[in-house]
């Protein structure tokens, strides 16, 4: 493209033109970029999209360790069942029946959680060495092929039903769909449901409010949103904190460091001037995939009081940066679905707390959760920003964003 320009213009004009074009065009492609919450990857195979993850040398992903969290969730459910063996089987049919709300069959976080629950409960069926995460739909008679009956403490464990909670317009992790689905399930086999498992709290709370709280049926979610943690006092059985306070910090911190041209570990593994630093218990970094992963914690009746407000900044990284070394910069950041419970009630409030501490002027764009263009249309003027933070609708769609920065 630059060569073409040269050939049609006189030398002096061409030289200055090339200079401006380079400054503009190369500019956006070279700016810091962080993918967050939805890791660029193939939504059918889970394979990471390395082109997106290495888009430029200031590109990162920030998420959490999906497998470690999924194992924790599975373990929490199995532990609960073991501790309550004499009361768990409500109808006394010798089967511990559970239902599972699946968030998004093309999202690696959701896939990991489905696998984690099935693994801990012994209901998973392996395909090519990995547990099949497909929805079983209705399996009251135990005949589905994607799951099998497990056993805990001499009782059979059966996944009575599981379903991807996607609404008619395509929004996934949809709480309202979960609330309706539990109504359908309980109308036909409610007395057989002994446990409810959900890939997240948004869906878990919808089922808790619609049915399981009144019935006293243990319900497990994921995310440790404030409303779910508060509900533990009212019988919600447990959730997992994906350490959103660490993730939100990292999401903005990696941009801050790139903008300041400092060591990428500043304020992360190495204390910055203000004293911000994380520890190995909070996160790890994988250099090959340029990914930061926060570590998860189980939240149950034993410790929920420490997690009641999911929007407070994490104390070890709550110190204000000085504007001398970290002057105000502009960041474009989108949230793929403005009505996602976790992202809107936990993650965004955290980002808004950290943006002040990190001197970042962040423009928050909320998507509709269904179409990438609803968001990309609002990145009309990328030149206005110093850095970008992207949360995709579909994990396959990284190129629809990077194309705008070219
Ligand atoms: C959260 C879900 C949320 C999803 C959005 C997951 O990590 O657990 O609650 O809906 O991210 O991408
Ligand atoms: Ca039963």
């Amino acid at each position: 493209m630059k060569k073409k320009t040269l050939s049609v213009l006189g030398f002096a004009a061409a030289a200055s033109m090339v200079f401006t074009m380079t400054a503009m065009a190369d500019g956006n492609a070279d700016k810091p970029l962080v993918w967050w919450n939805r890791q660029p990857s193939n939504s059918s195979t889970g394979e990471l999209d390395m082109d997106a993850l290495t888009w430029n040398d200031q590109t990162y992903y920030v998420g959490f360790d999906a497998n470690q969290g999924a194992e924790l969730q599975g373990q929490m459910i199995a532990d609960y069942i073991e501790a309550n063996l004499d009361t768990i089987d409500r109808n006394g049919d010798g089967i511990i029946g559970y239902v599972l709300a699946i968030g998004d069959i093309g999202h690696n976080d959701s896939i990991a959680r489905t696998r984690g629950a099935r693994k801990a409960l012994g209901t998973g069926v392996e395909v090519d060495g990995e547990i099949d995460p497909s929805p079983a739909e209705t399996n009251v008679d135990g005949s589905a092929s994607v799951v099998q009956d497990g056993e805990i403490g001499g009782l059979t464990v059966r996944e009575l039903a599981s379903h991807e909670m996607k609404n008619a317009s395509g929004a996934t992790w949809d709480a309202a769909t979960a609330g309706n689905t539990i109504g359908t399930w309980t109308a036909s086999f409610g007395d057989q449901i002994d446990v409810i498992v959900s890939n997240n709290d948004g869906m878990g709370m919808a089922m808790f409010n619609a049915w399981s709280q009144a019935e006293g049926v243990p319900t497990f979610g994921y995310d440790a949103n404030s409303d779910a943690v508060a509900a533990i006092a009212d019988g919600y059985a447990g959730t997992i904190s994906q350490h959103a306070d660490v993730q939100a910090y990292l999401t903005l911190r990696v941009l801050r460091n790139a903008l300041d041209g400092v060591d990428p570990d500043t304020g992360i593994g190495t204390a910055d001037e203000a004293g911000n630093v994380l520890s190995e218990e909070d996160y790890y970094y994988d250099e090959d995939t340029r990914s930061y992963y926060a570590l998860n914690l189980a939240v149950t009746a034993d410790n929920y009081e420490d997690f009641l407000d999911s929007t407070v900044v994490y104390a070890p990284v709550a110190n204000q940066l000085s504007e001398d070394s970290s002057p105000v910069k502009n960041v474009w950041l989108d949230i793929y679905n403005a009505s996602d419970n976790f992202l809107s009630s936990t993650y965004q409030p955290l980002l808004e707390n950290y943006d002040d501490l990190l001197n970042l002027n962040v423009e928050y764009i909320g998507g509709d959760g269904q179409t990438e263009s609803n968001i990309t249309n609002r990145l009309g003027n990328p030149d206005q920003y110093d850095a970008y933070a992207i949360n995709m609708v579909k994990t396959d769609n990284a190129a629809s964003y990077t194309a705008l920065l070219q």
Side-chain angles (χ1 to χ4, degrees):
M1 195 177 161
K2 281 174 215 158
K3 280 195 185 120
K4 253 187 222 150
T5 316
L6 262 173
S7 65
V8 294
L9 294 173
F11 179 72
S16 84
M17 176 91 177
V18 167
F19 180 78
T20 356
M21 284 190 53
T22 312
M24 275 171 54
D26 285 348
N28 295 335
D30 286 341
K31 289 176 182 172
L33 184 159
V34 61
W35 306 102
W36 63 277
N37 173 262
R38 301 193 146 214
Q39 193 170 27
S41 51
N42 181 307
S43 61
S44 334
T45 63
E47 192 194 337
L48 296 184
D49 176 349
M50 288 308 295
D51 291 339
L53 290 165
T54 58
W55 157 247
N56 65 30
D57 56 12
Q58 309 191 91
T59 300
Y60 299 94
Y61 168 71
V62 172
F64 63 97
D65 186 330
N67 294 325
Q68 179 251 347
E71 271 195 24
L72 261 186
Q73 192 196 29
Q75 201 50 55
M76 172 174 78
I77 303 164
D79 288 349
Y80 181 96
I81 292 177
E82 264 160 37
N84 293 280
L85 271 180
D86 41 349
T87 51
I88 195 98
D89 179 11
R90 295 196 310 139
N91 65 353
D93 64 352
I95 299 175
I96 303 167
Y98 75 93
V99 293
L100 170 68
I102 294 177
D104 175 350
I105 55 169
H107 186 188
N108 47 15
D109 293 354
S110 180
I111 293 171
R113 293 172 202 172
T114 297
R115 288 187 170 137
R118 288 180 178 167
K119 182 174 170 208
L121 300 176
T123 52
V125 171
E126 287 201 4
V127 178
D128 298 332
E130 284 208 276
I131 291 178
D132 191 336
S134 311
E137 301 308 335
T138 307
N139 178 45
V140 175
D141 62 1
S143 65
S145 58
V146 298
V147 285
Q148 62 186 8
D149 284 351
E151 186 261 292
I152 294 183
L155 291 171
T156 297
V157 182
R158 179 170 298 165
E159 185 168 307
L160 299 170
S162 50
H163 182 65
E164 184 191 33
M165 301 303 176
K166 188 172 179 170
N167 74 12
S169 14
T172 52
W173 303 88
D174 190 55
T177 303
N180 294 335
T181 306
I182 194 68
T184 312
W185 285 339
T186 53
S188 67
F189 53 89
D191 61 325
Q192 298 179 59
I193 303 177
D194 301 314
V195 177
I196 294 189
V197 183
S198 176
N199 281 175
N200 81 353
D201 283 336
M203 302 182 296
M205 283 297 290
M207 298 189 288
F208 182 72
N209 291 328
W211 186 75
S212 54
Q213 176 174 14
E215 299 294 320
V217 170
T219 303
F220 296 88
Y222 200 111
D223 287 341
N225 292 333
S226 297
D227 64 334
V229 175
I232 293 180
D234 308 323
Y236 194 69
T239 181
I240 300 290
S241 160
Q242 53 167 290
H243 239 320
D245 51 358
V246 168
Q247 289 182 71
Y249 173 71
L250 285 169
T251 300
L252 296 178
R253 183 73 208 211
V254 295
L255 299 179
R256 181 75 262 176
N257 288 345
L259 291 165
D260 293 345
V262 297
D263 183 321
D265 198 41
T266 309
I268 299 179
T270 312
D272 64 14
E273 281 171 15
N276 295 305
V277 68
L278 293 172
S279 86
E280 277 175 14
E281 276 148 49
D282 304 325
Y283 83 104
Y284 64 89
Y285 176 59
D286 179 51
E287 173 70 37
D288 291 341
T289 56
R290 304 189 61 81
S291 296
Y292 285 89
Y293 298 104
L295 293 167
N296 304 263
L297 305 162
V299 182
T300 64
D302 299 336
N303 64 349
Y304 76 98
E305 276 156 357
D306 300 338
F307 293 83
L308 284 167
D309 186 350
S310 65
T311 67
V312 233
V313 293
Y314 190 47
V317 290
N319 305 309
Q320 177 72 48
L321 297 193
S322 125
E323 277 194 42
D324 298 333
S325 39
S326 298
V328 176
K329 296 281 181 183
N330 298 320
V331 176
W332 184 92
L333 181 149
D334 84 279
I335 293 176
Y336 93 100
N337 182 357
S339 47
D340 182 272
N341 302 69
F342 168 63
L343 299 177
S344 63
S345 71
T346 295
Y347 213 115
Q348 182 170 352
L350 282 165
L351 289 168
E352 285 175 6
N353 290 334
Y354 287 116
D355 66 15
D356 296 327
L357 298 175
L358 298 174
N359 304 326
L360 294 172
N361 177 15
V362 180
E363 178 156 349
Y364 293 93
I365 305 288
D368 66 7
Q370 299 151 31
T371 42
E372 219 74 63
S373 58
N374 173 279
I375 301 164
T376 51
N377 285 344
R378 289 187 276 164
L379 183 51
N381 192 358
D383 297 355
Q384 269 178 270
Y385 305 95
D386 302 303
Y388 313 96
I390 300 174
N391 179 219
M392 292 176 282
V393 175
K394 273 202 91 187
T395 59
D396 315 77
N397 285 344
S400 0
Y401 294 84
T402 51
L404 300 174
L405 305 178
Q406 238 129 27

